[in-house]
PDB file of all heavy atoms in Angstrom:
ATOM      1  N   SER A 258     139.918  62.823 -58.691  1.00 92.00           N
ATOM      2  CA  SER A 258     140.442  62.960 -60.048  1.00 92.00           C
ATOM      3  C   SER A 258     140.327  64.391 -60.563  1.00 92.00           C
ATOM      4  O   SER A 258     141.148  64.831 -61.371  1.00 92.00           O
ATOM      5  CB  SER A 258     139.703  62.006 -60.988  1.00 92.00           C
ATOM      6  OG  SER A 258     138.307  62.267 -60.999  1.00 92.00           O
ATOM      7  N   VAL A 259     139.330  65.150 -60.119  1.00 93.00           N
ATOM      8  CA  VAL A 259     139.173  66.538 -60.534  1.00 93.00           C
ATOM      9  C   VAL A 259     140.359  67.373 -60.053  1.00 93.00           C
ATOM     10  O   VAL A 259     140.917  68.195 -60.788  1.00 93.00           O
ATOM     11  CB  VAL A 259     137.845  67.126 -60.004  1.00 93.00           C
ATOM     12  CG1 VAL A 259     137.720  68.598 -60.351  1.00 93.00           C
ATOM     13  CG2 VAL A 259     136.662  66.345 -60.560  1.00 93.00           C
ATOM     14  N   LEU A 260     140.763  67.146 -58.817  1.00 94.00           N
ATOM     15  CA  LEU A 260     141.897  67.869 -58.244  1.00 94.00           C
ATOM     16  C   LEU A 260     143.203  67.470 -58.926  1.00 94.00           C
ATOM     17  O   LEU A 260     144.015  68.322 -59.298  1.00 94.00           O
ATOM     18  CB  LEU A 260     141.963  67.574 -56.745  1.00 94.00           C
ATOM     19  CG  LEU A 260     142.999  68.333 -55.914  1.00 94.00           C
ATOM     20  CD1 LEU A 260     142.696  69.824 -55.881  1.00 94.00           C
ATOM     21  CD2 LEU A 260     143.042  67.779 -54.490  1.00 94.00           C
ATOM     22  N   ARG A 261     143.393  66.174 -59.132  1.00 95.00           N
ATOM     23  CA  ARG A 261     144.655  65.689 -59.722  1.00 95.00           C
ATOM     24  C   ARG A 261     144.758  66.046 -61.199  1.00 95.00           C
ATOM     25  O   ARG A 261     145.856  66.199 -61.730  1.00 95.00           O
ATOM     26  CB  ARG A 261     144.774  64.185 -59.512  1.00 95.00           C
ATOM     27  CG  ARG A 261     144.975  63.809 -58.038  1.00 95.00           C
ATOM     28  CD  ARG A 261     145.279  62.332 -57.856  1.00 95.00           C
ATOM     29  NE  ARG A 261     144.114  61.495 -58.068  1.00 95.00           N
ATOM     30  CZ  ARG A 261     143.217  61.205 -57.144  1.00 95.00           C
ATOM     31  NH1 ARG A 261     143.323  61.710 -55.925  1.00 95.00           N
ATOM     32  NH2 ARG A 261     142.189  60.421 -57.411  1.00 95.00           N
ATOM     33  N   ALA A 262     143.628  66.188 -61.899  1.00 94.00           N
ATOM     34  CA  ALA A 262     143.659  66.579 -63.304  1.00 94.00           C
ATOM     35  C   ALA A 262     144.075  68.031 -63.479  1.00 94.00           C
ATOM     36  O   ALA A 262     144.435  68.442 -64.580  1.00 94.00           O
ATOM     37  CB  ALA A 262     142.296  66.349 -63.949  1.00 94.00           C
ATOM     38  N   SER A 263     144.018  68.805 -62.390  1.00 94.00           N
ATOM     39  CA  SER A 263     144.446  70.206 -62.430  1.00 94.00           C
ATOM     40  C   SER A 263     145.849  70.392 -61.864  1.00 94.00           C
ATOM     41  O   SER A 263     146.238  71.509 -61.516  1.00 94.00           O
ATOM     42  CB  SER A 263     143.450  71.085 -61.659  1.00 94.00           C
ATOM     43  OG  SER A 263     142.203  71.115 -62.328  1.00 94.00           O
ATOM     44  N   GLY A 264     146.597  69.310 -61.734  1.00 93.00           N
ATOM     45  CA  GLY A 264     148.000  69.407 -61.360  1.00 93.00           C
ATOM     46  C   GLY A 264     148.306  69.332 -59.878  1.00 93.00           C
ATOM     47  O   GLY A 264     149.436  69.613 -59.471  1.00 93.00           O
ATOM     48  N   VAL A 265     147.332  68.958 -59.043  1.00 94.00           N
ATOM     49  CA  VAL A 265     147.566  68.861 -57.601  1.00 94.00           C
ATOM     50  C   VAL A 265     147.839  67.406 -57.233  1.00 94.00           C
ATOM     51  O   VAL A 265     146.988  66.537 -57.441  1.00 94.00           O
ATOM     52  CB  VAL A 265     146.361  69.394 -56.799  1.00 94.00           C
ATOM     53  CG1 VAL A 265     146.647  69.320 -55.302  1.00 94.00           C
ATOM     54  CG2 VAL A 265     146.048  70.829 -57.198  1.00 94.00           C
ATOM     55  N   ASP A 266     149.004  67.141 -56.694  1.00 94.00           N
ATOM     56  CA  ASP A 266     149.410  65.784 -56.325  1.00 94.00           C
ATOM     57  C   ASP A 266     148.889  65.461 -54.929  1.00 94.00           C
ATOM     58  O   ASP A 266     149.592  65.628 -53.925  1.00 94.00           O
ATOM     59  CB  ASP A 266     150.937  65.672 -56.381  1.00 94.00           C
ATOM     60  CG  ASP A 266     151.433  64.250 -56.107  1.00 94.00           C
ATOM     61  OD1 ASP A 266     150.592  63.367 -55.853  1.00 94.00           O
ATOM     62  OD2 ASP A 266     152.659  64.029 -56.128  1.00 94.00           O
TER      63      ASP A 266
END
Side-chain angles (χ1 to χ4, degrees):
S258 59
V259 176
L260 186 65
R261 292 188 287 274
S263 293
V265 182
D266 184 359

